[in-house]
């Protein structure tokens, strides 16, 4: 699988410059006390990884990869591992930058706030990955974009209609109750989400014909 | 003789196309030309061999192993060049090397870079900057650099100019001389195969219509050229197909010698694979 991961990471190396520029912008804005855009960086890393599907598709890499040893399984697995590696690496750098900004601005490092914020971002990023990847494997990257748009749009519309009628106080109470365990619960949910998403993508790809 | 590839009763049905009980064997150390017009079923057969398509019926054995049960093991020893399927073009030969080093147990980095040097392909240039001929050469040397025992090549020379085509064929020739390797080479450019292939398998409308040694085919088959009067005297069971042109009949016969012994017709030409394809596909029975 290592070879497949290297291939996916090699495909995004031209985007490292873009990420570097975003990190500089984030740092400068942080020093100036402007809006916190740290959430953009991990999200960008997933979006960059999603762009690799287009290149794969253009050169029919998926079909070619099946001709390689264990290609059908490793192709999907590597895409998930490469995305998670990339997202975690970018998040780690962002956390370090945030520590630096916090220290320069306040002479202290607000560990708790920075880590909580980055943890939320990471969870959201993994959510995008878990929803997007099976849809991309099923429909192809072009149709998947439309599919995602329709899902998000549909959820907003349904949510907009239902929200006034829902009593959400029990969720808020539950959150209070679970506060001590929230991070642990979210980590478990994230692991289960990614695992299920991978299994679904793998199943779709295993049955796919080219 | 040991077979490196055995295909038995391979069937695959699409809405508008069907592979009908495709069967043939490729003996060890031999080169088989897999010919047929576009859409005849060459690529579908190759995709089935490699499990790129899966819902097919029939049996495929490679190195004596089942191509589904022992897929991973088998693919360690297969090199492929597929029509229009390759690494994403934003990658470089360096990236291909680092990828396949982690994929094939026998990947030979030195061999890969030696080939790159030999064919003047720069290792750090993106594939998209290469010409079609250069790209094809890269695909081929990628397929060769893990010392495969079986090469499966789908239209490796299609779309190339004659010079690039000759260069590509030379790579195969040199490789075969060095390694004891078998090749299944699909092509509709039959002239490439006449001097190189030991066996020819001809597929038409999803059906194998012949699978023979090239010598047998080129020596035994022939084209009888005659006028209408002579043609009318030929028994239907003594020829395979015929074509009527403005001035003469071209009649495809399976055995020149037998035909000559039976009929007093002077002109029986040697056949080329092109003639064979055209007459088998376009000729009348």
């Amino acid at each position: 699988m290592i070879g497949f991961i290297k291939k996916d990471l090699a495909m995004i190396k031209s985007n490292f410059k873009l990420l570097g520029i975003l990190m500089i912008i984030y740092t400068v804005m942080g020093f100036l006390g402007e809006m916190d855009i740290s959430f953009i960086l991990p999200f960008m890393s997933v979006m960059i990884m999603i762009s690799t599907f287009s290149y794969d598709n253009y050169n029919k890499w998926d079909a070619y990869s099946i001709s390689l040893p264990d290609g059908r399984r490793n192709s999907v697995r590597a895409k998930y591992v490469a995305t998670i590696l990339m997202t975690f690496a970018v998040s780690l750098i962002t956390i370090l930058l945030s520590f630096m900004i916090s220290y320069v601005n306040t002479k202290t490092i607000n560990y708790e706030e920075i880590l909580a914020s980055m943890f939320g971002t990471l969870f959201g990023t993994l959510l995008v990955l878990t929803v997007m990847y099976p849809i991309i494997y099923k429909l192809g990257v072009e149709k998947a974009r439309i599919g995602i748009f329709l899902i998000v749009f549909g959820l907003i519309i349904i949510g907009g209609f239902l929200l006034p009628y829902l009593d959400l106080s029990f969720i808020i109470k539950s959150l209070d109750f679970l506060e001590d365990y929230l991070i642990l619960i979210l980590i478990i949910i994230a692991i289960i989400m990614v695992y299920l998403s991978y299994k679904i993508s793998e199943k779709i790809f295993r049955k796919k014909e080219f | 003789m040991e077979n490196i590839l055995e295909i038995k009763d391979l069937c695959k049905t699409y809405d508008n196309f069907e592979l009908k009980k495709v069967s043939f064997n490729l003996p060890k150390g031999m080169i088989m030309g897999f010919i047929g017009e576009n859409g005849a079923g060459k690529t579908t057969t190759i995709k089935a061999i490699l499990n790129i398509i899966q819902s097919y019926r029939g049996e495929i054995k490679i190195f004596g192993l089942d191509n589904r049960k022992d897929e991973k093991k088998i693919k360690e020893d297969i090199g492929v060049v597929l029509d229009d399927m390759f690494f994403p073009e934003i990658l470089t030969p360096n990236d291909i090397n680092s990828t396949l080093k982690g994929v094939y147990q026998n990947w030979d980095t030195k061999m890969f870079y030696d080939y790159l040097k030999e064919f003047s392909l720069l290792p750090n240039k993106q594939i998209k900057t290469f010409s079609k001929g250069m790209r094809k050469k890269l695909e081929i040397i990628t397929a060769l650099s893990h010392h495969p025992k079986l090469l499966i090549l789908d239209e490796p020379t299609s779309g190339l100019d004659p010079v690039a085509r000759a260069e590509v064929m030379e790579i195969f020739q040199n490789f075969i001389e060095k390694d004891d390797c078998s090749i299944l080479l699909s092509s509709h450019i039959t002239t490439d195969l006449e001097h190189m292939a030991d066996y020819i398998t001809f597929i038409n409308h999803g059906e194998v219509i012949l699978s023979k040694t090239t010598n047998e085919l080129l020596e035994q088959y022939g084209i009888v050229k005659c006028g209408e009067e002579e043609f009318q005297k030929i028994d239907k069971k003594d020829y395979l197909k015929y074509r009527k042109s403005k001035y003469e009949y071209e009649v495809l016969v399976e055995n020149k010698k037998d035909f000559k012994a039976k009929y007093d017709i002077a002109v029986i030409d040697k056949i080329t694979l092109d003639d064979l394809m055209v007459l088998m596909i376009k000729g009348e029975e």
Side-chain angles (χ1 to χ4, degrees):
Chain A
M1 184 180 55
I2 289 168
F4 288 82
I5 296 172
K6 280 184 183 169
K7 170 248 162 201
D8 280 325
L9 293 178
M11 283 169 78
I12 56 166
K13 64 188 173 202
S14 60
N15 291 293
F16 288 164
K17 210 184 275 175
L18 171 71
L19 278 173
I21 292 168
L22 277 174
M23 281 172 187
I24 292 167
I25 292 172
Y26 164 59
T27 312
V28 171
M29 284 177 81
F31 285 150
L32 296 174
E34 295 289 332
M35 194 176 72
D36 181 4
I37 59 157
S38 58
F39 68 93
I40 288 178
L41 292 162
F43 269 108
M44 269 309 283
S45 62
V46 169
M47 297 322 281
I48 287 168
M49 283 306 296
I50 286 173
S51 72
T52 64
F53 282 96
S54 301
Y55 290 112
D56 286 346
N57 185 44
Y58 184 72
N59 294 103
K60 299 183 186 164
W61 159 258
D62 284 343
Y64 182 79
S65 73
I66 296 169
S67 73
L68 305 174
D70 225 358
R72 225 178 243 275
R73 196 171 59 139
N74 282 336
S75 190
V76 178
R77 194 178 277 190
K79 200 64 104 180
Y80 274 79
V81 174
T83 309
I84 290 167
L85 281 177
M86 172 78 177
T87 312
F88 275 60
V90 170
S91 299
L92 190 66
I93 296 169
T94 312
I95 287 170
L96 294 175
L97 287 175
S98 300
F99 285 169
M100 187 179 77
I101 292 164
S102 174
Y103 185 75
V104 169
N105 285 354
T106 64
K107 296 291 169 213
T108 54
I109 298 174
N110 193 345
Y111 293 103
E112 207 172 305
E113 196 181 307
I114 291 168
L115 289 176
S117 150
M118 194 42 66
F119 188 79
T121 304
L122 206 52
F123 187 79
T125 311
L126 291 177
L127 190 66
V128 172
L129 158 99
T130 54
V131 175
M132 281 293 270
Y133 279 21
I135 298 175
I136 291 172
Y137 277 112
K138 181 75 186 167
L139 303 175
V141 69
E142 298 307 321
K143 284 185 190 161
R145 283 200 184 112
I146 301 166
I148 286 290
F149 173 76
L150 290 174
I151 289 170
V152 172
F153 192 67
L155 285 176
I156 291 170
I157 299 279
I158 294 166
F161 273 117
L162 292 181
L163 213 55
Y165 305 105
L166 291 177
D167 179 11
L168 299 175
S169 56
F170 76 96
I171 295 177
I172 293 157
K173 276 180 200 156
S174 309
L175 283 178
D176 284 345
F177 173 72
L178 293 170
E179 203 180 353
D180 293 342
Y181 305 104
L182 193 60
I183 295 218
L184 182 68
I185 290 167
L186 286 179
I187 289 172
I188 293 169
I189 291 173
I191 292 170
I192 293 171
M193 251 170 24
V194 172
Y195 179 74
L196 286 178
S197 169
Y198 162 68
K199 280 298 194 191
I200 295 167
S201 295
E202 197 210 16
K203 197 174 174 189
I204 293 166
F205 197 69
R206 207 183 325 129
K207 289 183 175 170
K208 214 166 185 176
E209 299 208 331
F210 297 90
Chain B
M1 195 184 284
E2 189 190 338
N3 289 324
I4 215 94
L5 170 68
E6 294 172 25
I7 300 180
K8 199 176 163 198
D9 295 336
L10 174 66
C11 298
K12 167 78 184 169
T13 310
Y14 292 104
D15 289 342
N16 53 356
F17 175 74
E18 196 184 349
L19 275 188
K20 298 166 204 159
K21 292 197 167 189
V22 169
S23 302
F24 61 86
N25 297 327
L26 171 59
K28 192 179 175 186
M30 298 290 164
I31 303 170
M32 176 177 280
F34 192 33
I35 63 170
E37 62 180 335
N38 290 329
K42 303 189 293 292
T43 300
T44 309
T45 305
I46 285 174
K47 282 181 174 176
I49 295 170
L50 296 168
N51 282 329
I52 294 173
I53 55 168
Q54 295 182 106
S55 56
Y56 57 81
R57 297 182 308 281
E59 195 180 70
I60 300 172
K61 281 191 171 181
I62 305 170
F63 316 126
L65 302 169
D66 185 280
N67 80 323
R68 298 195 219 211
K69 281 188 208 148
D70 299 295
E71 185 173 0
K72 192 182 172 197
K73 197 174 174 208
I74 287 169
K75 285 180 177 173
E76 283 285 348
D77 291 319
I78 296 184
V80 297
V81 174
L82 299 170
D83 199 16
D84 278 340
M85 299 172 204
F86 195 51
F87 276 81
E89 61 184 22
I90 54 165
L91 295 179
T92 64
N94 279 335
D95 298 327
I96 292 176
N97 177 59
S98 65
T99 299
L100 294 181
K101 211 160 55 176
V103 170
Y104 289 111
Q105 284 172 5
N106 290 334
W107 181 256
D108 189 336
T109 297
K110 187 183 175 301
M111 185 182 191
F112 181 71
Y113 279 98
D114 285 349
Y115 270 133
L116 288 179
K117 205 172 169 191
E118 188 179 339
F119 298 109
S120 310
L121 298 169
L122 294 173
N124 56 354
K125 284 274 175 201
Q126 287 186 328
I127 301 169
K128 66 181 176 190
T129 63
F130 292 163
S131 69
K132 198 163 183 177
M134 288 161 87
R135 197 189 133 123
K136 211 41 136 183
K137 283 180 202 163
L138 178 62
E139 289 177 26
I140 290 162
I141 64 176
T142 302
L144 300 182
S145 297
H146 61 286
H147 305 281
K149 292 179 192 151
L150 170 64
L151 274 179
I152 296 181
L153 312 165
D154 189 15
E155 306 283 3
T157 54
S158 116
L160 299 183
D161 62 64
V163 178
R165 233 171 68 209
E167 284 174 341
V168 162
M169 295 313 277
E170 203 183 317
I171 303 174
F172 295 138
Q173 299 274 20
N174 292 338
F175 183 73
I176 298 156
E177 280 164 24
K178 274 189 249 164
D179 284 65
D180 184 22
C181 176
S182 313
I183 301 182
L184 177 68
L185 202 169
S186 116
S187 180
H188 57 264
I189 305 166
T190 53
T191 43
D192 290 343
L193 300 172
E194 264 166 31
H195 306 291
M196 195 177 158
D198 304 295
Y199 284 81
I200 296 290
T201 294
F202 183 7
I203 188 168
N204 194 29
H205 296 303
E207 217 168 345
V208 170
I209 51 177
L210 65 86
S211 187
K212 287 177 186 286
T213 66
T214 314
N215 273 348
E216 205 181 333
L217 207 67
L218 298 179
E219 293 305 316
Q220 286 182 7
Y221 281 57
I223 298 184
V224 176
K225 294 192 171 166
C226 58
E228 183 156 10
E229 200 180 317
E230 285 169 309
F231 175 71
Q232 296 304 339
K233 287 179 195 161
I234 304 172
D235 193 335
K236 268 193 175 178
K237 66 175 191 304
D238 289 330
Y239 66 84
L240 296 168
K241 296 274 177 105
Y242 75 92
R243 271 182 100 190
K244 190 182 169 188
S245 66
K246 205 171 176 182
Y247 304 106
E248 62 180 5
Y249 278 80
E250 286 181 334
V251 186
L252 178 66
V253 296
E254 200 170 348
N255 194 316
K256 278 187 294 197
K257 225 171 153 186
D258 290 352
F259 189 88
K260 227 170 187 171
K262 191 169 175 183
Y263 298 97
D264 184 26
I265 294 176
V267 187
I268 305 182
D269 285 352
K270 271 189 135 184
I271 199 163
T272 64
L273 292 178
D274 263 355
D275 296 331
L276 181 79
M277 264 178 73
V278 172
L279 272 158
M280 289 300 270
I281 294 166
K282 293 281 175 201
E284 293 171 52
E285 284 187 13

